[in-house]
Amino acid sequence: MRLGASSRVAAAALVCFAVLTGCSGEPEPPPLADAVKKLVSDGDAVVSWVEAGITGLTRERADGPDQSSTCGPDKQRRFYIAKGSFANPAKESPISLVGILKGELFSRGYHDEVVDNLDLREDDTSVAVLVNPEARLTFILFARLDSTPNIAIVGKTECYPRDA
């Protein structure tokens, strides 16, 4: 049986479609240097929203690989960690603070990781986990009224192969 020209074109189109569909899996993560740059930029932007109302602010800005990472011996990840305490806890709301920080991350391409986070909220404590699927970054936002430091902003990259 011989295929006509239009049949051959259709068959070629189906083969190309099958090849493209098979190769359209999850895109490669950005290089570690690019991921770290975005992690620090996004972390600094989030902290800038609350910096004036925090005392004792400390930051670790992805300076080096985490030594206690769960990535495994041949992998590494970078962290952005900011901690501090409400300057005036009597006038603060952890839920409102985390909501403001979530808004900033939403504007930067993040979305909620937890579908129903009602279990992560109480009057005195609020937690949110947001991810950026393109940059492969995760931020955890935490605020509470008791204990200090009572605000934590933790960002992290995914696991990358360790530099040789």
Side-chain angles (χ1 to χ4, degrees):
M1 177 174 142
R2 295 190 63 190
L3 295 175
S6 62
S7 297
R8 282 183 277 184
V9 169
L14 285 173
V15 168
C16 288
F17 179 74
V19 168
L20 290 174
T21 302
C23 295
S24 66
E26 198 170 303
E28 288 291 315
L32 178 61
D34 292 348
V36 168
K37 184 176 178 181
K38 180 155 180 59
L39 177 70
V40 171
S41 172
D42 292 351
D44 284 347
V46 169
V47 169
S48 73
W49 279 92
V50 295
E51 195 168 14
I54 297 176
T55 61
L57 179 64
T58 62
R59 290 188 227 196
E60 297 174 34
R61 299 176 69 222
D63 297 327
D66 182 58
Q67 302 302 317
S68 62
S69 175
T70 59
C71 291
D74 58 336
K75 302 271 185 174
Q76 62 182 334
R77 88 172 3 136
R78 298 290 196 277
F79 285 89
Y80 180 100
I81 302 170
K83 295 179 185 177
S85 297
F86 286 117
N88 190 351
K91 293 184 177 183
E92 299 294 344
S93 164
I95 293 172
S96 295
L97 176 81
V98 168
I100 289 168
L101 301 180
K102 282 175 63 173
E104 176 62 26
L105 287 172
F106 286 155
S107 74
R108 295 174 165 273
Y110 290 78
H111 63 82
D112 282 320
E113 176 70 8
V114 179
V115 176
D116 180 9
N117 65 357
L118 292 177
D119 290 336
L120 301 177
R121 278 187 283 176
E122 296 177 0
D123 289 339
D124 295 341
T125 304
S126 185
V127 179
V129 179
L130 294 99
V131 296
N132 184 318
E134 289 87 37
R136 309 266 181 99
L137 301 175
T138 302
F139 269 90
I140 302 162
L141 309 172
F142 176 79
R144 64 183 173 192
L145 289 179
D146 60 348
S147 302
T148 57
N150 47 24
I151 300 167
I153 299 165
V154 179
K156 65 180 181 176
T157 66
E158 70 173 19
C159 295
Y160 281 85
R162 193 170 294 282
D163 297 332

